[in-house]
Amino acid sequence: MPSFRSELLRTLGARGYIHQCTDPEALDALACEGPITAYIGFDCTADSLHVGNLVGIMMLRVLQRTGHRPVALVGGGTTKVGDPSGKDTQRQLLDDAAIGRNKAGIRRSLGAFLDFGREGAVLADNAEWLDGLAYIPFLRDFGRHFTINRMLTFDSVRLRLEREQPLTLLEFNYMVMQAYDFLELGRRLGVRLQMGGSDQWGNIVGGVDLGRRIDGAALFGLTSPLITTASGEKMGKSAGNALWLNADRLKPFDYFQFWRNAEDADVGRFLRLFTELPLDEVARLEALQGAEVNEAKKVLAFEATKLAHGAGAAQAAAETARAVFEGAGVADDMPGIEVAGDDLDAGIPVLDLLQRAGFAASNGEARRLIRGGGARLNDEPVRDEALLVGTGDLRDGRLKLSAGRKRHVLVRAV
């Protein structure tokens, strides 16, 4: 890692955000001269961003906090094509109404991390320039700067072909459109830097080259490393489900618990990437051993949740966690499900209740959970697979159902 002079690149480097950069020395010099405008793109494939997007969001936040201007580009246009990067299959194409809803949700995700006020961050949409393109003039003016030979070397294309997965002409055009985005953002907003994950390197370099060829612009690209957990799992997924940033998709308590349950080996790295704690404090927490690591995990969970949902939600999630895991065992804002009072009067098979709570996908899986000692009702182990859970199990109109030590729901009678 070069010895950077600018606060921007020093911060990005020290916290582990930099993987590749097209010209780090020239970019560092540019950042020392004055504010840089930089962007990261987010396609409108869902109505919330998730933890897998969080490194990019934090990079934009570092950019803003060090005096530069972030641009969050939503792909109202490119979402209609689909980015093949990191995908084995073609994305489902969405209509304009779905893209509009998703764009609004992404704006809410970003609003927790970035200041979009006057003279602040900018939210742009590439539909503004892509939707009106005429195909033949576009190919003539810009397509001639991209060779098939080089495009086939990009990971987003090469890996799909090596796996013998189909790659449509529509998707093949994506990298040309992303490069054109960089060109347009440079012209419209003075964008000089594009950032993204390491899987976007080929697309970003394509934009740098296009700006140089068409406008003679000195543009830069910077990527972050692929973030996986210590066990090799991709960030942003939990039991196959996305860890959403918007509270209407994932409760702040569940978001808190995701970070609280981080692997010991990940705590220091995650504190650097996903919180704004000073690095000397991160080093202190990272050095904790044994049971003390849990204190570092609590700090990680609180600080990460505070950024995404605010200090109040982070404090409430921390108090709920203490009640569930260290105190009386029940807290009102625990994740919960509702069941009909009549069903409880008749008795609900515990196998069915475990499935309703999301702890098992089938009777067989629920039985294995019970036989392994992982199922508990009101903190008492469930030993009878034929148990009927009824109104007699309620405490103040609710009961606590658990799977293992870390998954709990309140079952409420309605």
Side-chain angles (χ1 to χ4, degrees):
M1 185 73 64
S3 179
F4 295 120
R5 295 184 298 118
S6 66
E7 184 184 3
L8 170 63
L9 291 185
R10 283 203 315 270
T11 303
L12 291 174
R15 301 195 80 100
Y17 293 114
I18 298 178
H19 178 58
Q20 296 163 295
C21 185
T22 53
D23 191 341
E25 290 80 10
L27 179 60
D28 187 40
L30 184 66
C32 289
E33 292 175 4
I36 292 175
T37 301
Y39 92 97
I40 293 179
F42 304 93
D43 274 344
C44 302
T45 52
D47 62 0
S48 172
L49 297 178
H50 55 77
V51 169
N53 303 119
L54 199 49
V55 167
I57 296 171
M58 292 298 291
M59 291 170 75
L60 290 176
R61 186 173 169 91
V62 169
L63 193 86
Q64 188 165 44
R65 287 171 60 85
T66 54
H68 303 276
R69 183 170 68 150
V71 174
L73 179 70
V74 293
T78 43
T79 301
K80 300 170 185 175
V81 174
D83 182 3
S85 301
K87 301 293 181 292
D88 287 335
T89 58
Q90 183 180 2
R91 290 186 188 272
Q92 179 183 358
L93 300 183
L94 305 177
D95 60 25
D96 288 344
I99 289 174
R101 289 191 298 271
N102 292 346
K103 177 181 173 181
I106 289 171
R107 172 65 176 78
R108 292 195 302 274
S109 298
L110 293 167
F113 295 86
L114 302 175
D115 177 10
F116 284 100
R118 187 176 181 181
E119 304 299 325
V122 176
L123 188 72
D125 184 347
N126 61 18
E128 293 179 19
W129 51 85
L130 293 180
D131 282 2
L133 287 176
Y135 188 59
I136 296 300
F138 179 74
L139 287 181
R140 180 195 62 213
D141 294 340
F142 303 104
R144 61 192 178 92
H145 296 290
F146 294 83
T147 66
I148 298 298
N149 312 63
R150 188 177 185 198
M151 292 167 79
L152 289 173
T153 67
F154 292 165
D155 286 348
S156 58
V157 173
R158 179 178 56 81
L159 294 176
R160 282 275 285 275
L161 297 179
E162 286 178 356
R163 295 168 184 160
E164 299 185 355
Q165 299 287 347
L167 180 72
T168 68
L169 178 62
L170 190 66
E171 294 172 287
F172 199 64
N173 274 288
Y174 187 95
M175 62 186 72
V176 181
M177 291 184 176
Q178 183 170 331
Y180 183 68
D181 284 345
F182 201 173
L183 184 71
E184 279 289 334
L185 287 169
R187 292 170 172 177
R188 293 169 182 245
L189 297 173
V191 170
R192 301 288 301 276
L193 169 65
Q194 181 182 174
M195 301 185 295
S198 59
D199 61 336
Q200 294 294 316
W201 178 249
N203 293 345
I204 291 173
V205 170
V208 171
D209 287 346
L210 187 66
R212 175 179 53 80
R213 291 171 181 271
I214 300 294
D215 287 351
L219 304 179
F220 300 89
L222 187 152
T223 64
S224 59
L226 175 66
I227 305 299
T228 59
T229 66
S231 57
E233 295 180 2
K234 188 175 181 179
M235 283 290 294
K237 302 289 184 180
S238 178
N241 299 312
L243 273 300
W244 302 107
L245 299 183
N246 290 1
D248 59 350
R249 295 295 301 270
L250 184 74
K251 292 181 179 180
F253 174 77
D254 293 327
Y255 189 79
F256 180 97
Q257 283 302 111
F258 168 74
W259 299 106
R260 174 65 181 83
N261 295 330
E263 297 179 49
D264 292 2
D266 287 327
V267 172
R269 185 165 54 110
F270 287 179
L271 283 165
R272 281 187 288 274
L273 290 170
F274 302 119
T275 80
E276 293 178 336
L277 285 178
L279 291 177
D280 55 353
E281 176 64 6
V282 171
R284 184 189 71 81
L285 292 168
E286 190 176 22
L288 296 177
Q289 300 291 325
E292 289 185 326
V293 175
N294 286 322
E295 297 306 311
K297 292 181 181 181
K298 292 176 185 177
V299 173
L300 168 64
F302 180 84
E303 295 294 330
T305 305
K306 181 174 71 173
L307 284 174
H309 298 291
Q315 187 61 44
E319 291 171 358
T320 297
R322 278 194 292 272
V324 172
F325 302 113
E326 302 171 16
V330 171
D332 288 334
D333 56 352
M334 277 177 59
I337 62 171
E338 295 180 343
V339 298
D342 290 345
D343 289 348
L344 279 171
D345 289 341
I348 302 175
V350 69
L351 299 179
D352 180 35
L353 196 58
L354 288 167
Q355 292 173 71
R356 293 196 201 185
F359 294 154
S362 63
N363 283 343
E365 191 173 331
R367 287 191 179 95
R368 288 192 292 274
L369 182 64
I370 292 171
R371 292 169 187 171
R376 295 195 306 283
L377 181 66
N378 293 327
D379 293 323
E380 295 296 326
V382 176
R383 306 190 187 282
D384 182 3
E385 297 174 20
L387 174 69
L388 293 178
V389 180
T391 53
D393 297 302
L394 295 175
R395 306 288 185 269
D396 297 324
R398 60 193 182 181
L399 61 88
K400 180 182 174 185
L401 190 67
S402 306
R405 294 181 301 155
K406 298 179 179 180
R407 294 190 293 163
H408 310 271
V409 299
L410 286 183
V411 180
R412 297 179 176 88
V414 296

